[in-house]
Amino acid sequence: MGSEHSDAEGGDTTAMALKILVAGGFGVGKTTLVGAVSEIRPLRTEELLSEAGQSVDDTGGVDRKTTTTVAMDFGRITIRSGLSLYLFGTPGQDRFWFLWDELSQGALGAVVLADTRRLEDCFPAVDYFEHRHIPFVVAVNCFASARTYGAHEVSRALDLDRGTPVVLCDARDRDSGKEVLIRLVEYAGRMHTARLLDTVG
């Protein structure tokens, strides 16, 4: 999607806004990433974890987490002049996955956040985007208490398709998060171009 507007000189400039999803398991840092990179005050739909959810929400490994996203997080970042990204953080628990189909409509691609202490938690997101042919990168959120693994090790453990980027990041750091988003935009651009060429070939 894009929109045209006039600049101060009276000429036309084209501004493009791209939709990006931020997905992954429960407590992996999706809300943190969106909040760290967003240049506007992020919209959050967090609720306190309750006793009622204990039977359905697996909080293993994230015992100190007290809130959860129940619809989505939303933020915006300008990558360069004329190019902005709208970020939609997806809810991590199984019971909110029905929202993913709605959120993924029109998305250029996705960031799948991973925690190497609970790598299996990002399998559903990886499967979701692979089956729908939505380009994605895996961003390993490097927690201080987690053992460090290389990108190749993570790629092999997740059985990713050849060429799917894996990057290490700190979801709390704006520059680190921005680098992840730039990698995604570049990768998704190559994927979409290749598909267009396939259709006309």
Side-chain angles (χ1 to χ4, degrees):
M1 53 185 166
S3 61
E4 289 190 356
H5 60 275
S6 297
D7 60 22
E9 304 290 317
D12 286 334
T13 59
T14 301
M16 181 179 292
L18 303 173
K19 182 179 183 181
I20 301 294
L21 301 186
V22 180
F26 178 61
V28 77
K30 300 180 295 294
T31 298
T32 300
L33 177 66
V34 173
V37 301
S38 181
E39 62 201 13
I40 61 171
R41 184 176 180 180
L43 167 68
R44 293 182 171 144
T45 55
E46 289 199 306
E47 295 292 340
L48 289 172
L49 289 171
S50 64
E51 288 185 17
Q54 286 180 350
S55 61
V56 288
D57 294 333
D58 179 9
T59 57
V62 286
D63 303 331
R64 289 185 292 178
K65 185 170 173 61
T66 58
T67 60
T68 184
T69 299
V70 295
M72 67 173 186
D73 297 313
F74 174 78
R76 186 191 72 211
I77 179 174
T78 301
I79 295 296
R80 58 173 169 75
S81 178
L83 176 60
S84 297
L85 304 182
Y86 290 144
L87 308 175
F88 291 82
T90 64
Q93 306 97 304
D94 302 14
R95 59 196 169 113
F96 295 122
W97 281 350
F98 66 92
L99 292 168
W100 285 35
D101 287 338
E102 194 70 34
L103 290 174
S104 65
Q105 291 294 319
L108 173 78
V111 173
V112 176
L113 270 178
D115 178 352
T116 56
R117 299 169 302 180
R118 299 177 293 120
L119 202 55
E120 67 281 358
D121 288 0
C122 71
F123 276 123
V126 167
D127 288 343
Y128 182 90
F129 297 122
E130 282 184 346
H131 287 134
R132 286 160 181 79
H133 306 290
I134 297 173
F136 68 95
V137 301
V138 173
V140 179
N141 193 8
C142 297
F143 290 89
S145 59
R147 179 182 161 190
T148 302
Y149 292 89
H152 181 69
E153 293 174 286
V154 173
S155 179
R156 193 170 52 198
L158 292 174
D159 193 26
L160 297 176
D161 289 342
R162 185 181 177 87
T164 302
V166 176
V167 294
L168 307 182
C169 75
D170 181 344
R172 302 165 299 179
D173 182 77
R174 187 176 195 274
D175 289 338
S176 181
K178 187 173 179 179
E179 280 302 312
V180 170
L181 295 171
I182 290 171
R183 283 288 299 274
L184 171 63
V185 171
E186 292 173 345
Y187 175 64
R190 291 196 303 271
M191 294 291 288
H192 285 294
T193 299
R195 287 172 189 165
L196 282 173
L197 291 174
D198 282 345
T199 60
V200 298

